Amino acid sequence: MADALSTTFAALADPTRRAILGRLAKGEATVNELAEPFRISLPAVSRHLKVLESAGLITRGRDAQWRPCRLEAEALKDIDDWLARYRRFWTTRFDRMDDYIAELKKADTKSKKEKRK
Amino acid sequence: MSATLADDELLITRTFDAPASLIFALWSQPEHFKRWMGPGSYDCPMAEFDFRVGGSYRAVIRSKDTGDSGFAGVYREIVPNRRLVFTFAWTNTGPSAGVETLITITFAEKNGKTVQTFHQTPFLNVEARDRHIGGWDSAFDKLKTYAETTAKEHRP
């Protein structure tokens, strides 16, 4: 079974689903409202919504007639946190890369000087 | 917190005071790689590279606090001194374990200095990655604003 983060990323790895999320970022919407900008059928939109719902990216209202979809910020925050951890990791490594380059240059200058002697 | 939430995708650009051939060597040769991957807050006691397209690599970083963390991947594209593409995943257990990511690094040398762009995206397969490249940004622009405001509202 895939971990939660993989499920979230899989759900995001589709342009239609990202567009749906973009629309929901402006506020709640029904399936009909969400389907409007896309040239796809209502069942197809519903399938996308199911994927988003099982990834925890959206929730849907309980009313059988009016089931507005709502964006869930928590799942997005998990992704943000995940990217932030990687950013910290690589940024500190690249700082170290800088130091190491300086060390290599110093060693190189020293060996050249010794060769000249 | 808002600074963290502004990071919607990992793109880090750095200029190094060295030619591209050296920066490329720091990524492609284990003896160099180990020196900048560690030491610091941790060491890099192991790095093994089968440096060719389709070849795999693995490495371990060791920290006093968290012990050993392994990562591994496969080289996808190699253009010496210009471009390097490889997969990256942590091999231990943990929140990010098993989530495969794709790292794309480009090197551009000018006047003896090298601009390195480092790009990392999560993806589950190549098809999914190709679809989301270029499409990820705009959706996230909207989403991050939403996540930011909502996260603030939800905080006790």
Side-chain angles (χ1 to χ4, degrees):
Chain A
M1 186 179 150
D3 60 290
L5 209 54
S6 290
T7 308
T8 311
F9 280 126
L12 285 171
D14 179 275
T16 306
R17 288 199 288 272
R18 285 198 303 271
I20 289 173
L21 292 174
R23 166 62 186 84
L24 291 175
K26 294 177 192 162
E28 291 185 3
T30 61
V31 178
N32 279 312
E33 287 167 339
L34 290 172
E36 233 167 68
F38 305 109
R39 287 181 189 174
I40 51 172
S41 64
L42 279 178
V45 171
S46 290
R47 278 197 295 275
H48 282 306
L49 293 177
K50 272 193 187 130
V51 174
L52 292 171
E53 194 176 10
S54 58
L57 284 161
I58 64 164
T59 51
R60 304 187 67 181
R62 289 209 183 141
D63 189 328
Q65 292 295 313
W66 164 255
R67 296 195 63 199
C69 303
R70 181 186 302 166
L71 192 59
E72 284 301 319
E74 208 50 45
L76 292 172
K77 206 184 157 300
D78 288 346
I79 289 190
D80 259 333
D81 292 347
W82 186 83
L83 287 169
R85 277 199 297 275
Y86 264 120
R87 185 177 291 277
R88 275 197 301 275
F89 174 74
W90 290 114
T91 304
T92 57
R93 287 308 90 202
F94 297 157
D95 288 346
R96 173 66 198 139
M97 202 184 237
D98 246 341
D99 296 343
Y100 179 53
I101 288 166
E103 281 173 35
L104 287 174
K105 283 191 163 181
K106 212 173 163 186
D108 191 43
T109 315
K110 205 176 162 191
S111 70
K112 272 178 190 161
K113 269 184 190 164
E114 276 165 8
K115 269 179 199 164
R116 260 182 240 136
K117 275 178 193 170
Chain B
M1 183 51 76
S2 58
T4 309
L5 285 162
D7 299 335
D8 53 40
E9 170 176 66
L10 204 50
L11 178 65
I12 306 171
T13 304
R14 288 285 282 255
T15 303
F16 295 108
D17 190 9
S21 57
L22 177 62
I23 309 301
F24 190 81
L26 298 194
W27 282 102
S28 56
Q29 296 174 20
E31 59 272 29
H32 281 313
F33 185 83
K34 281 155 88 173
R35 293 289 298 277
W36 64 266
M37 189 44 78
S41 47
Y42 40 70
D43 286 322
C44 178
M46 193 278 272
E48 288 175 5
F49 298 176
D50 180 12
F51 195 69
R52 59 186 172 85
V53 173
S56 55
Y57 73 89
R58 60 198 190 103
V60 169
I61 54 173
R62 178 171 293 160
S63 145
K64 273 182 200 159
D65 301 327
T66 55
D68 284 6
S69 306
F71 56 89
V74 174
Y75 296 106
R76 291 288 176 88
E77 284 178 50
I78 298 174
V79 183
N81 308 336
R82 296 290 294 276
R83 183 178 160 89
L84 187 56
V85 182
F86 54 92
T87 63
F88 179 105
W90 295 105
T91 50
N92 309 50
T93 54
S96 296
V99 179
E100 198 172 41
T101 65
L102 190 77
I103 292 177
T104 303
I105 312 167
T106 62
F107 311 96
E109 185 179 324
K110 199 178 176 186
N111 301 326
K113 293 188 181 194
T114 301
V115 177
Q116 170 188 279
T117 62
F118 176 95
H119 186 252
Q120 187 174 18
T121 49
F123 77 111
L124 303 170
N125 54 54
V126 174
E127 204 182 302
R129 177 211 55 190
D130 288 347
R131 275 198 310 245
H132 93 224
I133 279 180
W136 193 277
D137 282 342
S138 58
F140 259 114
D141 281 344
K142 292 170 192 152
L143 297 180
K144 76 188 180 199
T145 315
Y146 178 85
E148 202 170 332
T149 49
T150 313
K152 266 179 201 155
E153 282 165 18
H154 284 195
R155 206 159 297 138

